[in-house]
Amino acid sequence: MTVVQSVPPEILEQVAEYFNILSNPMRLQILNLLGDGEKCVQELVENTKTSQANVSKHLKIMLQAGIINRRAEGTSAYYYVEDSLIFELSHLVCNRLADKIEKQALQFRNFSLAKTVSND
């Protein structure tokens, strides 16, 4: 018999917060852009087609969570992914969703309404 250990509520809270950070499409878009390498805020604004305030808000949230980091160069700040596990996690989720969609598509392909074929 397997004994399941109780997880302290504060641990569950931290895990939920991590997933909450990843639950926003704009943050996922920014992370996707940073997957190609570091970018300054202006590049992220241009690529996301949103305001600088919006991009900065999401960068701050991910920075505080330790998912991304930044470095200053002159008057610009360049952001990069600090926690590369984010890409592995994303890959797992995307593969799971793709499998689910493929299974659904197969069910649709296999579904057919009863047809009567006449040989007139």
Side-chain angles (χ1 to χ4, degrees):
M1 178 176 196
T2 305
V3 177
V4 179
Q5 285 185 324
S6 161
V7 180
E10 40 294 334
I11 299 295
L12 295 173
E13 187 67 36
Q14 288 180 10
V15 172
E17 181 60 31
Y18 190 83
F19 281 110
N20 186 45
I21 290 166
L22 301 179
S23 70
N24 184 282
M26 179 57 65
R27 289 195 281 270
L28 293 176
Q29 185 179 8
I30 291 169
L31 286 169
N32 186 55
L33 292 167
L34 293 176
D36 292 336
E38 69 178 18
K39 306 249 181 318
C40 70
V41 175
Q42 189 56 39
E43 288 176 285
L44 295 170
V45 168
E46 290 169 6
N47 285 299
T48 58
K49 296 178 179 35
T50 191
S51 69
Q52 182 173 342
N54 193 27
V55 168
S56 294
K57 173 185 78 169
H58 292 294
L59 289 171
K60 181 180 176 185
I61 290 167
M62 292 188 290
L63 187 65
Q64 288 174 336
I67 294 171
I68 63 172
N69 210 334
R70 64 180 250 165
R71 69 174 182 85
E73 187 175 297
T75 59
S76 297
Y78 288 85
Y79 291 84
Y80 58 93
V81 175
E82 181 72 22
D83 184 359
S84 61
L85 177 66
I86 218 72
F87 298 119
E88 292 175 48
L89 185 57
S90 177
H91 184 72
L92 286 171
V93 170
C94 288
N95 281 342
R96 174 65 68 184
L97 291 173
D99 289 345
K100 189 176 181 178
I101 290 167
E102 288 169 0
K103 185 177 178 182
Q104 249 182 342
L106 186 58
Q107 289 173 339
F108 277 105
R109 285 189 190 93
N110 290 334
F111 177 76
S112 64
L113 297 175
K115 297 186 234 177
T116 52
V117 178
S118 63
N119 293 326
D120 293 339

